Amino acid sequence: AQTVTQSQPEMSVQEAETVTLSCTYDTSESNYYLFWYKQPPSRQMILVIRQEAYKQQNATENRFSVNFQKAAKSFSLKISDSQLGDTAMYFCAFTDSGNTPLVFGKGTRLSVIA
Amino acid sequence: DVKVTQSSRYLVKRTGEKVFLECVQDMDHENMFWYRQDPGLGLRLIYFSYDVKMKEKGDIPEGYSVSREKKERFSLILESASTNQTSMYLCASSLPGIETQYFGPGTRLLVL
C-alpha cells in the first residue's frame, strides 16, 4: 500500500523568509500524481500545487515550488517570501490514478511569524 | 469555480443517535469522497463513490455508511453515533481521470 510521510509536525518561519516542507512517499508504481494541499485555520482545504511523476520539471505556482526527486521518492514544498496568510496546515498527498483516492500525510502545521 | 458544500459546519449529537452529514457539489463531478480529519492522524478515507448508487469502502468504514442517490449529493451516515466518532468530517469531489480533489468546508461533529 502506498504511504505518505511528513516528518515535520510543526514549523515556523519569519515573514518574507523561505521555508521548505518535507514529504516522502512509498509506491511501486511508475506513474502517479503528487499534491500539496493547504488548510488555513477554520477554512477550506485548497490545492496549492500538483506534480505528475512522468514530468521531469518541478512544478511551480507563484511563490510555491516543489523539489520532486523521483528516485528518492521525495516531494518537498518550498514557500518563498512567506506571508502571514501562508499560516496553515499543509498536507502532502499521493494517488496513482484519477480513480484512486488520495493518500494523505499527517500534515505539517506552518506558522508564519511577523 | 467548483463549489462543494456541507450541510453543517458544527454539529452536536448524543451517543446512539443516527447522524446524517450531507455533501453537495455543483460541478457534475462523478467522484465523491468522505474523510475524517483528526489531529496527528491527517485525513483518513471513510468511503468514496465513483457514480450514482456506487460506493466503495475506504480505510476506516466501520460505524459509517453512505448514500449516493443523485450525482451531486453524497451522504455520510453514522448509524449509532459514538464518542470516538467526534471529529472533523471533510467531503471532496473530483472528475474521473482528473486527480485534483475539491473540498468542502468540513463539519465538526461532537458526540456527547
Side-chain angles (χ1 to χ4, degrees):
Chain A
Q2 291 93 354
T3 58
V4 176
T5 302
Q6 293 179 249
S7 58
Q8 305 149 316
E10 293 190 27
M11 295 187 73
S12 61
V13 62
Q14 291 290 132
E15 199 174 6
E17 297 293 308
T18 294
V19 63
T20 299
L21 280 56
S22 301
C23 173
T24 59
Y25 57 93
D26 188 26
T27 183
S28 57
E29 301 292 331
S30 59
N31 194 31
Y32 46 87
Y33 305 84
L34 294 158
F35 306 81
W36 278 99
Y37 279 87
K38 169 185 177 180
Q39 186 181 41
S42 302
R43 292 182 62 188
Q44 212 142 333
M45 182 103 72
I46 57 172
L47 179 68
V48 175
I49 201 164
R50 59 175 269 176
Q51 175 82 40
E52 295 164 34
Y54 66 86
K55 290 187 176 177
Q56 301 276 5
Q57 192 170 2
N58 288 328
T60 62
E61 282 289 337
N62 301 313
R63 298 182 294 107
F64 298 87
S65 62
V66 298
N67 183 6
F68 174 49
Q69 302 285 330
K70 192 171 184 178
K73 295 181 182 176
S74 171
F75 182 62
S76 59
L77 174 70
K78 186 172 85 170
I79 306 173
S80 303
D81 186 27
S82 297
Q83 300 175 2
L84 296 177
D86 295 332
T87 292
M89 281 289 290
Y90 287 83
F91 291 96
C92 179
F94 166 100
T95 183
D96 59 9
S97 80
N99 284 336
T100 302
L102 292 174
V103 176
F104 285 86
K106 294 182 178 181
T108 296
R109 185 178 301 279
L110 177 68
S111 299
V112 180
I113 302 164
Chain B
D1 277 353
V2 176
K3 192 164 184 183
V4 181
T5 58
Q6 295 183 229
S7 50
S8 305
R9 291 299 302 270
Y10 301 95
L11 211 50
V12 179
K13 295 292 181 181
R14 297 275 179 199
T15 302
E17 280 192 78
K18 190 168 187 175
V19 181
F20 293 86
L21 303 182
E22 303 285 342
C23 175
V24 177
Q25 49 91 7
D26 66 356
M27 284 301 290
D28 207 33
H29 285 176
E30 277 80 2
N31 301 342
M32 295 188 76
F33 308 85
W34 275 107
Y35 298 91
R36 69 176 277 176
Q37 181 181 3
D38 300 287
L41 296 179
L43 276 72
R44 293 179 290 166
L45 181 66
I46 305 171
Y47 268 96
F48 58 103
S49 169
Y50 291 144
D51 205 345
V52 176
K53 297 193 185 294
M54 290 182 64
K55 60 184 178 183
E56 299 282 345
K57 291 181 180 179
D59 300 318
I60 51 165
E62 296 79 18
Y64 304 95
S65 62
V66 290
S67 172
R68 186 133 183 236
E69 296 296 318
K70 293 185 178 181
K71 191 175 186 180
E72 67 271 18
R73 187 180 298 269
F74 192 36
S75 303
L76 179 69
I77 304 156
L78 286 65
E79 296 290 342
S80 176
S82 64
T83 54
N84 63 14
Q85 292 178 309
T86 290
S87 187
M88 168 74 91
Y89 291 88
L90 296 175
C91 175
S93 72
S94 70
L95 287 168
I98 306 296
E99 303 74 20
T100 301
Q101 291 187 15
Y102 297 87
F103 284 82
T107 295
R108 192 170 293 279
L109 173 67
L110 172 63
V111 182
L112 300 173

